[in-house]
Every structure is written in structure tokens, then in C-alpha cells.
mmCIF file of all heavy atoms in Angstrom:
data_model
loop_
_atom_site.group_PDB
_atom_site.id
_atom_site.type_symbol
_atom_site.label_atom_id
_atom_site.label_comp_id
_atom_site.label_asym_id
_atom_site.label_seq_id
_atom_site.Cartn_x
_atom_site.Cartn_y
_atom_site.Cartn_z
ATOM 1 N N VAL U 1 4.827 3.336 -6.372
ATOM 2 C CA VAL U 1 3.430 3.511 -5.990
ATOM 3 C C VAL U 1 2.603 3.877 -7.218
ATOM 4 O O VAL U 1 1.510 3.341 -7.430
ATOM 5 C CB VAL U 1 3.289 4.581 -4.890
ATOM 6 C CG1 VAL U 1 1.828 4.858 -4.577
ATOM 7 C CG2 VAL U 1 4.041 4.151 -3.635
ATOM 8 N N ASN U 2 3.127 4.766 -8.036
ATOM 9 C CA ASN U 2 2.421 5.158 -9.256
ATOM 10 C C ASN U 2 2.193 3.950 -10.157
ATOM 11 O O ASN U 2 1.101 3.768 -10.708
ATOM 12 C CB ASN U 2 3.197 6.247 -9.999
ATOM 13 C CG ASN U 2 2.407 6.823 -11.133
ATOM 14 O OD1 ASN U 2 1.225 7.128 -10.998
ATOM 15 N ND2 ASN U 2 3.042 6.956 -12.283
ATOM 16 N N LYS U 3 3.210 3.115 -10.310
ATOM 17 C CA LYS U 3 3.091 1.931 -11.166
ATOM 18 C C LYS U 3 2.021 0.981 -10.625
ATOM 19 O O LYS U 3 1.210 0.445 -11.379
ATOM 20 C CB LYS U 3 4.441 1.232 -11.252
ATOM 21 C CG LYS U 3 4.499 0.161 -12.284
ATOM 22 C CD LYS U 3 4.423 0.752 -13.649
ATOM 23 C CE LYS U 3 5.308 -0.033 -14.588
ATOM 24 N NZ LYS U 3 5.169 0.413 -15.956
ATOM 25 N N LEU U 4 2.015 0.780 -9.304
ATOM 26 C CA LEU U 4 0.996 -0.071 -8.695
ATOM 27 C C LEU U 4 -0.411 0.461 -8.952
ATOM 28 O O LEU U 4 -1.328 -0.292 -9.273
ATOM 29 C CB LEU U 4 1.231 -0.189 -7.192
ATOM 30 C CG LEU U 4 2.398 -1.062 -6.751
ATOM 31 C CD1 LEU U 4 2.662 -0.868 -5.269
ATOM 32 C CD2 LEU U 4 2.129 -2.518 -7.063
ATOM 33 N N LEU U 5 -0.570 1.765 -8.796
ATOM 34 C CA LEU U 5 -1.875 2.367 -9.046
ATOM 35 C C LEU U 5 -2.264 2.254 -10.515
ATOM 36 O O LEU U 5 -3.413 1.919 -10.838
ATOM 37 C CB LEU U 5 -1.873 3.830 -8.604
ATOM 38 C CG LEU U 5 -1.782 4.071 -7.100
ATOM 39 C CD1 LEU U 5 -1.580 5.554 -6.815
ATOM 40 C CD2 LEU U 5 -3.011 3.548 -6.386
ATOM 41 N N GLN U 6 -1.329 2.520 -11.403
ATOM 42 C CA GLN U 6 -1.612 2.480 -12.838
ATOM 43 C C GLN U 6 -2.079 1.093 -13.282
ATOM 44 O O GLN U 6 -2.874 0.977 -14.212
ATOM 45 C CB GLN U 6 -0.380 2.900 -13.651
ATOM 46 C CG GLN U 6 -0.004 4.364 -13.508
ATOM 47 C CD GLN U 6 -1.032 5.313 -14.081
ATOM 48 O OE1 GLN U 6 -1.739 5.000 -15.024
ATOM 49 N NE2 GLN U 6 -1.123 6.494 -13.488
ATOM 50 N N LEU U 7 -1.598 0.055 -12.615
ATOM 51 C CA LEU U 7 -2.010 -1.313 -12.955
ATOM 52 C C LEU U 7 -3.503 -1.534 -12.749
ATOM 53 O O LEU U 7 -4.085 -2.430 -13.345
ATOM 54 C CB LEU U 7 -1.223 -2.324 -12.119
ATOM 55 C CG LEU U 7 0.254 -2.471 -12.441
ATOM 56 C CD1 LEU U 7 0.944 -3.351 -11.404
ATOM 57 C CD2 LEU U 7 0.453 -3.042 -13.839
ATOM 58 N N HIS U 8 -4.116 -0.699 -11.909
ATOM 59 C CA HIS U 8 -5.526 -0.907 -11.576
ATOM 60 C C HIS U 8 -6.467 0.135 -12.159
ATOM 61 O O HIS U 8 -7.678 0.040 -11.977
ATOM 62 C CB HIS U 8 -5.684 -0.981 -10.060
ATOM 63 C CG HIS U 8 -4.953 -2.141 -9.475
ATOM 64 N ND1 HIS U 8 -5.405 -3.432 -9.570
ATOM 65 C CD2 HIS U 8 -3.762 -2.214 -8.837
ATOM 66 C CE1 HIS U 8 -4.547 -4.250 -9.004
ATOM 67 N NE2 HIS U 8 -3.540 -3.530 -8.555
ATOM 68 N N PHE U 9 -5.937 1.111 -12.856
ATOM 69 C CA PHE U 9 -6.795 2.108 -13.489
ATOM 70 C C PHE U 9 -7.351 1.552 -14.789
ATOM 71 O O PHE U 9 -6.650 0.887 -15.548
ATOM 72 C CB PHE U 9 -6.017 3.394 -13.797
ATOM 73 C CG PHE U 9 -5.615 4.180 -12.577
ATOM 74 C CD1 PHE U 9 -4.446 4.911 -12.568
ATOM 75 C CD2 PHE U 9 -6.416 4.205 -11.441
ATOM 76 C CE1 PHE U 9 -4.073 5.644 -11.450
ATOM 77 C CE2 PHE U 9 -6.054 4.931 -10.317
ATOM 78 C CZ PHE U 9 -4.888 5.652 -10.335
ATOM 79 N N LYS U 10 -8.612 1.838 -15.050
ATOM 80 C CA LYS U 10 -9.233 1.381 -16.293
ATOM 81 C C LYS U 10 -8.814 2.245 -17.473
ATOM 82 O O LYS U 10 -8.676 1.760 -18.579
ATOM 83 C CB LYS U 10 -10.758 1.390 -16.152
ATOM 84 C CG LYS U 10 -11.251 0.357 -15.169
ATOM 85 C CD LYS U 10 -12.751 0.371 -15.045
ATOM 86 C CE LYS U 10 -13.181 -0.670 -14.020
ATOM 87 N NZ LYS U 10 -14.591 -0.671 -13.772
ATOM 88 N N ASP U 11 -8.598 3.517 -17.217
ATOM 89 C CA ASP U 11 -8.209 4.452 -18.274
ATOM 90 C C ASP U 11 -6.708 4.733 -18.182
ATOM 91 O O ASP U 11 -6.219 5.201 -17.147
ATOM 92 C CB ASP U 11 -8.997 5.758 -18.118
ATOM 93 C CG ASP U 11 -8.767 6.733 -19.253
ATOM 94 O OD1 ASP U 11 -7.884 6.489 -20.105
ATOM 95 O OD2 ASP U 11 -9.480 7.756 -19.292
ATOM 96 N N ASP U 12 -5.975 4.436 -19.224
ATOM 97 C CA ASP U 12 -4.528 4.642 -19.239
ATOM 98 C C ASP U 12 -4.143 6.115 -19.093
ATOM 99 O O ASP U 12 -3.003 6.430 -18.762
ATOM 100 C CB ASP U 12 -3.914 4.103 -20.535
ATOM 101 C CG ASP U 12 -3.978 2.591 -20.607
ATOM 102 O OD1 ASP U 12 -4.083 1.948 -19.542
ATOM 103 O OD2 ASP U 12 -3.919 2.043 -21.725
ATOM 104 N N LYS U 13 -5.081 7.009 -19.335
ATOM 105 C CA LYS U 13 -4.788 8.438 -19.255
ATOM 106 C C LYS U 13 -4.924 8.984 -17.829
ATOM 107 O O LYS U 13 -4.595 10.136 -17.577
ATOM 108 C CB LYS U 13 -5.729 9.210 -20.182
ATOM 109 C CG LYS U 13 -5.513 8.870 -21.647
ATOM 110 C CD LYS U 13 -6.495 9.604 -22.518
ATOM 111 C CE LYS U 13 -6.310 9.189 -23.969
ATOM 112 N NZ LYS U 13 -7.282 9.830 -24.839
ATOM 113 N N THR U 14 -5.373 8.152 -16.893
ATOM 114 C CA THR U 14 -5.533 8.594 -15.513
ATOM 115 C C THR U 14 -4.175 8.907 -14.916
ATOM 116 O O THR U 14 -3.234 8.145 -15.046
ATOM 117 C CB THR U 14 -6.231 7.512 -14.669
ATOM 118 O OG1 THR U 14 -7.493 7.199 -15.268
ATOM 119 C CG2 THR U 14 -6.438 7.976 -13.242
ATOM 120 N N ARG U 15 -4.067 10.048 -14.250
ATOM 121 C CA ARG U 15 -2.822 10.486 -13.629
ATOM 122 C C ARG U 15 -3.061 10.707 -12.139
ATOM 123 O O ARG U 15 -4.173 11.001 -11.704
ATOM 124 C CB ARG U 15 -2.309 11.786 -14.261
ATOM 125 C CG ARG U 15 -2.009 11.647 -15.745
ATOM 126 C CD ARG U 15 -0.763 10.779 -15.957
ATOM 127 N NE ARG U 15 -0.540 10.524 -17.359
ATOM 128 C CZ ARG U 15 -0.697 9.346 -17.948
ATOM 129 N NH1 ARG U 15 -1.112 8.309 -17.263
ATOM 130 N NH2 ARG U 15 -0.451 9.190 -19.228
ATOM 131 N N VAL U 16 -1.985 10.604 -11.366
ATOM 132 C CA VAL U 16 -2.050 10.779 -9.918
ATOM 133 C C VAL U 16 -1.118 11.917 -9.536
ATOM 134 O O VAL U 16 0.033 11.963 -9.989
ATOM 135 C CB VAL U 16 -1.625 9.479 -9.190
ATOM 136 C CG1 VAL U 16 -1.746 9.645 -7.688
ATOM 137 C CG2 VAL U 16 -2.447 8.289 -9.674
ATOM 138 N N SER U 17 -1.585 12.819 -8.695
ATOM 139 C CA SER U 17 -0.751 13.945 -8.278
ATOM 140 C C SER U 17 0.352 13.477 -7.330
ATOM 141 O O SER U 17 0.261 12.405 -6.722
ATOM 142 C CB SER U 17 -1.601 15.011 -7.580
ATOM 143 O OG SER U 17 -1.972 14.559 -6.298
ATOM 144 N N GLY U 18 1.367 14.287 -7.205
ATOM 145 C CA GLY U 18 2.472 13.975 -6.307
ATOM 146 C C GLY U 18 2.021 13.823 -4.866
ATOM 147 O O GLY U 18 2.483 12.924 -4.152
ATOM 148 N N ASP U 19 1.106 14.689 -4.432
ATOM 149 C CA ASP U 19 0.593 14.595 -3.066
ATOM 150 C C ASP U 19 -0.175 13.290 -2.852
ATOM 151 O O ASP U 19 -0.069 12.660 -1.800
ATOM 152 C CB ASP U 19 -0.316 15.776 -2.741
ATOM 153 C CG ASP U 19 0.460 17.066 -2.523
ATOM 154 O OD1 ASP U 19 1.695 16.998 -2.335
ATOM 155 O OD2 ASP U 19 -0.176 18.131 -2.527
ATOM 156 N N ALA U 20 -0.944 12.889 -3.832
ATOM 157 C CA ALA U 20 -1.692 11.637 -3.730
ATOM 158 C C ALA U 20 -0.740 10.444 -3.673
ATOM 159 O O ALA U 20 -0.977 9.489 -2.928
ATOM 160 C CB ALA U 20 -2.655 11.489 -4.904
ATOM 161 N N LEU U 21 0.347 10.512 -4.438
ATOM 162 C CA LEU U 21 1.341 9.436 -4.397
ATOM 163 C C LEU U 21 2.002 9.351 -3.026
ATOM 164 O O LEU U 21 2.224 8.248 -2.502
ATOM 165 C CB LEU U 21 2.397 9.636 -5.483
ATOM 166 C CG LEU U 21 1.942 9.387 -6.906
ATOM 167 C CD1 LEU U 21 3.033 9.777 -7.895
ATOM 168 C CD2 LEU U 21 1.526 7.940 -7.107
ATOM 169 N N LEU U 22 2.311 10.506 -2.438
ATOM 170 C CA LEU U 22 2.899 10.504 -1.100
ATOM 171 C C LEU U 22 1.929 9.933 -0.066
ATOM 172 O O LEU U 22 2.329 9.179 0.827
ATOM 173 C CB LEU U 22 3.324 11.915 -0.707
ATOM 174 C CG LEU U 22 4.534 12.470 -1.449
ATOM 175 C CD1 LEU U 22 4.757 13.930 -1.090
ATOM 176 C CD2 LEU U 22 5.782 11.649 -1.147
ATOM 177 N N LEU U 23 0.658 10.270 -0.194
ATOM 178 C CA LEU U 23 -0.353 9.738 0.714
ATOM 179 C C LEU U 23 -0.477 8.229 0.569
ATOM 180 O O LEU U 23 -0.516 7.501 1.561
ATOM 181 C CB LEU U 23 -1.698 10.418 0.468
ATOM 182 C CG LEU U 23 -2.867 9.902 1.312
ATOM 183 C CD1 LEU U 23 -2.594 10.116 2.798
ATOM 184 C CD2 LEU U 23 -4.148 10.592 0.895
ATOM 185 N N MET U 24 -0.518 7.749 -0.657
ATOM 186 C CA MET U 24 -0.606 6.311 -0.898
ATOM 187 C C MET U 24 0.637 5.594 -0.370
ATOM 188 O O MET U 24 0.538 4.495 0.190
ATOM 189 C CB MET U 24 -0.798 6.018 -2.385
ATOM 190 C CG MET U 24 -2.182 6.323 -2.904
ATOM 191 S SD MET U 24 -3.487 5.413 -2.038
ATOM 192 C CE MET U 24 -2.990 3.732 -2.321
ATOM 193 N N ALA U 25 1.808 6.197 -0.532
ATOM 194 C CA ALA U 25 3.046 5.606 -0.021
ATOM 195 C C ALA U 25 2.974 5.485 1.500
ATOM 196 O O ALA U 25 3.397 4.477 2.076
ATOM 197 C CB ALA U 25 4.251 6.434 -0.456
ATOM 198 N N GLU U 26 2.441 6.511 2.146
ATOM 199 C CA GLU U 26 2.287 6.471 3.604
ATOM 200 C C GLU U 26 1.301 5.380 4.008
ATOM 201 O O GLU U 26 1.530 4.646 4.977
ATOM 202 C CB GLU U 26 1.816 7.835 4.117
ATOM 203 C CG GLU U 26 1.629 7.901 5.611
ATOM 204 C CD GLU U 26 2.916 7.759 6.405
ATOM 205 O OE1 GLU U 26 4.018 7.997 5.867
ATOM 206 O OE2 GLU U 26 2.828 7.392 7.595
ATOM 207 N N MET U 27 0.218 5.255 3.281
ATOM 208 C CA MET U 27 -0.766 4.212 3.582
ATOM 209 C C MET U 27 -0.160 2.819 3.399
ATOM 210 O O MET U 27 -0.404 1.919 4.210
ATOM 211 C CB MET U 27 -2.010 4.395 2.712
ATOM 212 C CG MET U 27 -2.806 5.617 3.079
ATOM 213 S SD MET U 27 -4.170 5.976 1.956
ATOM 214 C CE MET U 27 -5.214 4.561 2.205
ATOM 215 N N LEU U 28 0.619 2.642 2.363
ATOM 216 C CA LEU U 28 1.295 1.360 2.148
ATOM 217 C C LEU U 28 2.267 1.059 3.277
ATOM 218 O O LEU U 28 2.366 -0.080 3.743
ATOM 219 C CB LEU U 28 2.032 1.362 0.813
ATOM 220 C CG LEU U 28 1.184 1.151 -0.422
ATOM 221 C CD1 LEU U 28 2.003 1.420 -1.684
ATOM 222 C CD2 LEU U 28 0.631 -0.267 -0.451
ATOM 223 N N LYS U 29 2.987 2.076 3.733
ATOM 224 C CA LYS U 29 3.934 1.892 4.833
ATOM 225 C C LYS U 29 3.202 1.421 6.089
ATOM 226 O O LYS U 29 3.625 0.469 6.740
ATOM 227 C CB LYS U 29 4.682 3.190 5.122
ATOM 228 C CG LYS U 29 5.706 3.045 6.252
ATOM 229 C CD LYS U 29 6.419 4.341 6.536
ATOM 230 C CE LYS U 29 5.572 5.171 7.475
ATOM 231 N NZ LYS U 29 6.265 6.341 8.004
ATOM 232 N N VAL U 30 2.098 2.058 6.408
ATOM 233 C CA VAL U 30 1.310 1.672 7.582
ATOM 234 C C VAL U 30 0.797 0.247 7.426
ATOM 235 O O VAL U 30 0.874 -0.570 8.362
ATOM 236 C CB VAL U 30 0.147 2.658 7.810
ATOM 237 C CG1 VAL U 30 -0.822 2.143 8.870
ATOM 238 C CG2 VAL U 30 0.679 4.026 8.192
ATOM 239 N N PHE U 31 0.300 -0.083 6.257
ATOM 240 C CA PHE U 31 -0.243 -1.420 6.000
ATOM 241 C C PHE U 31 0.840 -2.483 6.163
ATOM 242 O O PHE U 31 0.626 -3.506 6.819
ATOM 243 C CB PHE U 31 -0.855 -1.475 4.595
ATOM 244 C CG PHE U 31 -1.555 -2.766 4.302
ATOM 245 C CD1 PHE U 31 -2.859 -2.964 4.696
ATOM 246 C CD2 PHE U 31 -0.908 -3.788 3.627
ATOM 247 C CE1 PHE U 31 -3.520 -4.155 4.437
ATOM 248 C CE2 PHE U 31 -1.544 -4.991 3.361
ATOM 249 C CZ PHE U 31 -2.853 -5.175 3.770
ATOM 250 N N VAL U 32 2.010 -2.257 5.585
ATOM 251 C CA VAL U 32 3.099 -3.232 5.651
ATOM 252 C C VAL U 32 3.606 -3.385 7.083
ATOM 253 O O VAL U 32 3.842 -4.501 7.553
ATOM 254 C CB VAL U 32 4.246 -2.843 4.688
ATOM 255 C CG1 VAL U 32 5.476 -3.683 4.926
ATOM 256 C CG2 VAL U 32 3.770 -2.985 3.242
ATOM 257 N N ARG U 33 3.755 -2.282 7.789
ATOM 258 C CA ARG U 33 4.198 -2.361 9.186
ATOM 259 C C ARG U 33 3.184 -3.105 10.044
ATOM 260 O O ARG U 33 3.542 -3.897 10.915
ATOM 261 C CB ARG U 33 4.445 -0.968 9.745
ATOM 262 C CG ARG U 33 5.724 -0.360 9.245
ATOM 263 C CD ARG U 33 6.008 0.943 9.939
ATOM 264 N NE ARG U 33 7.298 1.465 9.499
ATOM 265 C CZ ARG U 33 7.793 2.607 9.900
ATOM 266 N NH1 ARG U 33 7.128 3.367 10.743
ATOM 267 N NH2 ARG U 33 8.962 3.018 9.467
ATOM 268 N N GLU U 34 1.926 -2.831 9.830
ATOM 269 C CA GLU U 34 0.884 -3.520 10.592
ATOM 270 C C GLU U 34 0.876 -5.014 10.267
ATOM 271 O O GLU U 34 0.717 -5.851 11.156
ATOM 272 C CB GLU U 34 -0.481 -2.892 10.308
ATOM 273 C CG GLU U 34 -1.609 -3.474 11.128
ATOM 274 C CD GLU U 34 -1.510 -3.172 12.621
ATOM 275 O OE1 GLU U 34 -0.792 -2.252 13.016
ATOM 276 O OE2 GLU U 34 -2.182 -3.893 13.397
ATOM 277 N N ALA U 35 1.061 -5.352 9.004
ATOM 278 C CA ALA U 35 1.132 -6.771 8.616
ATOM 279 C C ALA U 35 2.307 -7.463 9.301
ATOM 280 O O ALA U 35 2.177 -8.584 9.812
ATOM 281 C CB ALA U 35 1.258 -6.899 7.099
ATOM 282 N N ALA U 36 3.444 -6.805 9.346
ATOM 283 C CA ALA U 36 4.625 -7.375 9.997
ATOM 284 C C ALA U 36 4.390 -7.557 11.497
ATOM 285 O O ALA U 36 4.739 -8.596 12.073
ATOM 286 C CB ALA U 36 5.840 -6.491 9.742
ATOM 287 N N ALA U 37 3.804 -6.553 12.133
ATOM 288 C CA ALA U 37 3.546 -6.634 13.573
ATOM 289 C C ALA U 37 2.561 -7.754 13.895
ATOM 290 O O ALA U 37 2.772 -8.533 14.835
ATOM 291 C CB ALA U 37 3.014 -5.293 14.086
ATOM 292 N N ARG U 38 1.501 -7.849 13.112
ATOM 293 C CA ARG U 38 0.513 -8.900 13.357
ATOM 294 C C ARG U 38 1.091 -10.284 13.086
ATOM 295 O O ARG U 38 0.799 -11.240 13.814
ATOM 296 C CB ARG U 38 -0.732 -8.675 12.500
ATOM 297 C CG ARG U 38 -1.544 -7.478 12.944
ATOM 298 C CD ARG U 38 -2.800 -7.335 12.137
ATOM 299 N NE ARG U 38 -3.508 -6.112 12.454
ATOM 300 C CZ ARG U 38 -4.783 -5.895 12.186
ATOM 301 N NH1 ARG U 38 -5.495 -6.829 11.586
ATOM 302 N NH2 ARG U 38 -5.351 -4.746 12.507
ATOM 303 N N ALA U 39 1.899 -10.399 12.060
ATOM 304 C CA ALA U 39 2.536 -11.683 11.757
ATOM 305 C C ALA U 39 3.487 -12.083 12.883
ATOM 306 O O ALA U 39 3.563 -13.260 13.260
ATOM 307 C CB ALA U 39 3.275 -11.613 10.427
ATOM 308 N N ALA U 40 4.199 -11.118 13.442
ATOM 309 C CA ALA U 40 5.101 -11.396 14.566
ATOM 310 C C ALA U 40 4.311 -11.869 15.784
ATOM 311 O O ALA U 40 4.714 -12.830 16.460
ATOM 312 C CB ALA U 40 5.923 -10.161 14.903
ATOM 313 N N ARG U 41 3.185 -11.204 16.062
ATOM 314 C CA ARG U 41 2.342 -11.636 17.185
ATOM 315 C C ARG U 41 1.787 -13.040 16.949
ATOM 316 O O ARG U 41 1.700 -13.846 17.870
ATOM 317 C CB ARG U 41 1.206 -10.638 17.418
ATOM 318 C CG ARG U 41 1.676 -9.362 18.098
ATOM 319 C CD ARG U 41 0.519 -8.517 18.613
ATOM 320 N NE ARG U 41 -0.387 -8.061 17.578
ATOM 321 C CZ ARG U 41 -0.240 -6.942 16.876
ATOM 322 N NH1 ARG U 41 0.800 -6.160 17.097
ATOM 323 N NH2 ARG U 41 -1.124 -6.598 15.968
ATOM 324 N N GLN U 42 1.442 -13.333 15.702
ATOM 325 C CA GLN U 42 0.935 -14.671 15.372
ATOM 326 C C GLN U 42 2.010 -15.719 15.630
ATOM 327 O O GLN U 42 1.732 -16.778 16.203
ATOM 328 C CB GLN U 42 0.479 -14.724 13.908
ATOM 329 C CG GLN U 42 -0.040 -16.071 13.465
ATOM 330 C CD GLN U 42 -1.302 -16.506 14.179
ATOM 331 O OE1 GLN U 42 -2.163 -15.688 14.486
ATOM 332 N NE2 GLN U 42 -1.428 -17.793 14.464
ATOM 333 N N ALA U 43 3.229 -15.431 15.226
ATOM 334 C CA ALA U 43 4.339 -16.367 15.469
ATOM 335 C C ALA U 43 4.544 -16.558 16.966
ATOM 336 O O ALA U 43 4.779 -17.686 17.430
ATOM 337 C CB ALA U 43 5.612 -15.857 14.808
ATOM 338 N N GLN U 44 4.438 -15.480 17.741
ATOM 339 C CA GLN U 44 4.611 -15.582 19.196
ATOM 340 C C GLN U 44 3.534 -16.460 19.823
ATOM 341 O O GLN U 44 3.818 -17.217 20.737
ATOM 342 C CB GLN U 44 4.577 -14.192 19.836
ATOM 343 C CG GLN U 44 5.823 -13.381 19.586
ATOM 344 C CD GLN U 44 5.701 -11.963 20.126
ATOM 345 O OE1 GLN U 44 4.604 -11.457 20.355
ATOM 346 N NE2 GLN U 44 6.847 -11.319 20.320
ATOM 347 N N THR U 45 2.303 -16.336 19.329
ATOM 348 C CA THR U 45 1.224 -17.176 19.882
ATOM 349 C C THR U 45 1.479 -18.649 19.606
ATOM 350 O O THR U 45 0.954 -19.505 20.306
ATOM 351 C CB THR U 45 -0.156 -16.785 19.330
ATOM 352 O OG1 THR U 45 -0.199 -16.998 17.927
ATOM 353 C CG2 THR U 45 -0.502 -15.345 19.667
ATOM 354 N N GLU U 46 2.275 -18.930 18.579
ATOM 355 C CA GLU U 46 2.633 -20.311 18.238
ATOM 356 C C GLU U 46 3.975 -20.697 18.860
ATOM 357 O O GLU U 46 4.561 -21.713 18.503
ATOM 358 C CB GLU U 46 2.671 -20.472 16.715
ATOM 359 C CG GLU U 46 1.332 -20.223 16.058
ATOM 360 C CD GLU U 46 1.400 -20.240 14.542
ATOM 361 O OE1 GLU U 46 2.412 -20.716 13.977
ATOM 362 O OE2 GLU U 46 0.434 -19.783 13.908
ATOM 363 N N ASP U 47 4.460 -19.872 19.796
ATOM 364 C CA ASP U 47 5.740 -20.095 20.489
ATOM 365 C C ASP U 47 6.908 -20.247 19.523
ATOM 366 O O ASP U 47 7.810 -21.058 19.735
ATOM 367 C CB ASP U 47 5.652 -21.322 21.409
ATOM 368 C CG ASP U 47 4.722 -21.093 22.585
ATOM 369 O OD1 ASP U 47 4.688 -19.943 23.079
ATOM 370 O OD2 ASP U 47 4.029 -22.034 22.993
#
């Protein structure tokens, strides 16, 4: 998660706290699960 965030920071000196990394990891988990669920529903609509 830190590496992903660092790829988008303009300043190389920007740091992320451990709590912020855990929050971002949780957000990514929710996003990925939701993407999987929606993709599964899409496949079902196409039989």
C-alpha cells in the first residue's frame, strides 16, 4: 500500500503513518471485494 501511494506523491519526502496505511489497506479491500461482487453479478446477468 505504501509503495502504491508513493507512486502518486509529487514529493519523494512525503511519508504515510502506519494508521493511514492500515486505513488505505482497508479501503482497497472494500474496493476489490465490491469489484468482484459487481463483476459476478454482471456475469450472472449474462447467464
Side-chain angles (χ1 to χ4, degrees):
V1 175
N2 189 45
K3 190 68 144 174
L4 286 169
L5 291 172
Q6 292 294 330
L7 290 172
H8 297 284
F9 291 148
K10 292 180 181 176
D11 186 352
D12 291 337
K13 295 178 183 177
T14 303
R15 299 289 174 250
V16 182
S17 73
D19 286 345
L21 288 173
L22 289 173
L23 177 61
M24 286 302 302
E26 180 66 21
M27 291 173 65
L28 282 170
K29 181 181 84 170
V30 170
F31 186 84
V32 169
R33 285 187 176 178
E34 184 67 18
R38 290 183 186 199
R41 285 193 299 272
Q42 179 64 36
Q44 287 175 340
T45 63
E46 298 174 15
D47 292 325

